[in-house]
C-alpha cells in the first residue's frame, strides 16, 4: 500500500529526497531524508544508490549506497557495499537484486563515453565479480534457468 518516490531536487536549493506515499490516501506519510537516484525493492529491503551534486557548492559528486527496511522505514546502512569496492565505481547507473540469490548488482557508467562495468556483490556487500560492459550499462533482466 505504499509508493516510494525519489525526487532529485533542483541541484540548487532543493535537495534530493525519498518520500513514502500511502496509496490509499495519496498522502506523503514519510520523508526519508536520503537521496535516491535509482532504487530496487526486494522483499522488505530497499536498495538505492544516490548521486548528488550542487551547482551552488560545485563540489564533487556525493555518491552513496544505502539499504532501507521498508517495514520500519529506517535506514539500515548508508553503504551496503562493505568491502571498499564502492571506491572503484565512478558513476553508478543501475541497480538490481537477484530475487533468488539476493546478490546485488550495480553498474558503473564511468564517464558515459567509455565502456562501463557491471559489479556483483554478495548479499552481505562484498564484491563477488565484475565484468566490462558496453557504454552506459543500466538495466537488468533475470530469467529462471530451465531445470
Amino acid at each position: 500500500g505504499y509508493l516510494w518516490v525519489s525526487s532529485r531536487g533542483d541541484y540548487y536549493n532543493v535537495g534530493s529526497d525519498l518520500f513514502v506515499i500511502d496509496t490509499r490516501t495519496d498522502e506523503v506519510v514519510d520523508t526519508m531524508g536520503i537521496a535516491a537516484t535509482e532504487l530496487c525493492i526486494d522483499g522488505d529491503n530497499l536498495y538505492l544508490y544516490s548521486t548528488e551534486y550542487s551547482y551552488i557548492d560545485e563540489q564533487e559528486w556525493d555518491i552513496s549506497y544505502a539499504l532501507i527496511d521498508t517495514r520500519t522505514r529506517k535506514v539500515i546502512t548508508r553503504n551496503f557495499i562493505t568491502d571498499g569496492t564502492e571506491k572503484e565505481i565512478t558513476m553508478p547507473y543501475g541497480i538490481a537484486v537477484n530475487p533468488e540469490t539476493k546478490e546485488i548488482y550495480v553498474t558503473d557508467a564511468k564517464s558515459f563515453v567509455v565502456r562501463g562495468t557491471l559489479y556483483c556483490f554478495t548479499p552481505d556487500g562484498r564484491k563477488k565479480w565484475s565484468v566490462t560492459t558496453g557504454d552506459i550499462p543500466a538495466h537488468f533482466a533475470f530469467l529462471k534457468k530451465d531445470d
Side-chain angles (χ1 to χ4, degrees):
Y2 294 102
L3 177 66
W4 293 75
V5 178
S6 65
S7 171
R8 296 190 187 185
D10 65 4
Y11 302 103
Y12 288 96
N13 299 309
V14 178
S16 302
D17 212 332
L18 181 62
F19 301 91
V20 183
I21 298 172
D22 184 330
T23 60
R24 294 173 298 257
T25 63
D26 292 334
E27 292 183 27
V28 174
V29 294
D30 215 339
T31 303
M32 299 304 300
I34 190 168
T37 303
E38 294 289 336
L39 55 88
C40 173
I41 295 177
D42 179 65
D44 294 326
N45 293 320
L46 183 148
Y47 296 83
L48 66 86
Y49 71 81
S50 166
T51 55
E52 292 184 276
Y53 183 82
S54 170
Y55 286 115
I56 294 172
D57 297 337
E58 294 190 20
Q59 300 172 347
E60 296 290 317
W61 286 90
D62 183 19
I63 300 172
S64 60
Y65 304 88
L67 174 59
I68 296 173
D69 182 324
T70 60
R71 286 173 294 123
T72 63
R73 296 195 290 249
K74 300 288 184 205
V75 176
I76 297 169
T77 181
R78 289 192 179 253
N79 191 1
F80 62 75
I81 300 173
T82 59
D83 64 359
T85 305
E86 74 279 1
K87 294 176 186 86
E88 295 177 17
I89 302 171
T90 305
M91 184 56 65
Y93 207 68
I95 187 168
V97 175
N98 183 315
E100 292 183 13
T101 67
K102 305 306 179 192
E103 292 167 326
I104 308 158
Y105 297 89
V106 176
T107 63
D108 184 357
K110 301 190 183 294
S111 65
F112 299 96
V113 295
V114 298
R115 293 165 50 129
T117 304
L118 167 62
Y119 290 87
C120 175
F121 296 95
T122 62
D124 63 349
R126 291 176 289 115
K127 180 180 169 185
K128 187 170 181 180
W129 52 263
S130 64
V131 64
T132 301
T133 68
D135 295 355
I136 315 173
H139 304 286
F140 304 84
F142 294 100
L143 303 173
K144 286 191 175 225
K145 285 175 86 174
D146 291 334
D147 293 330

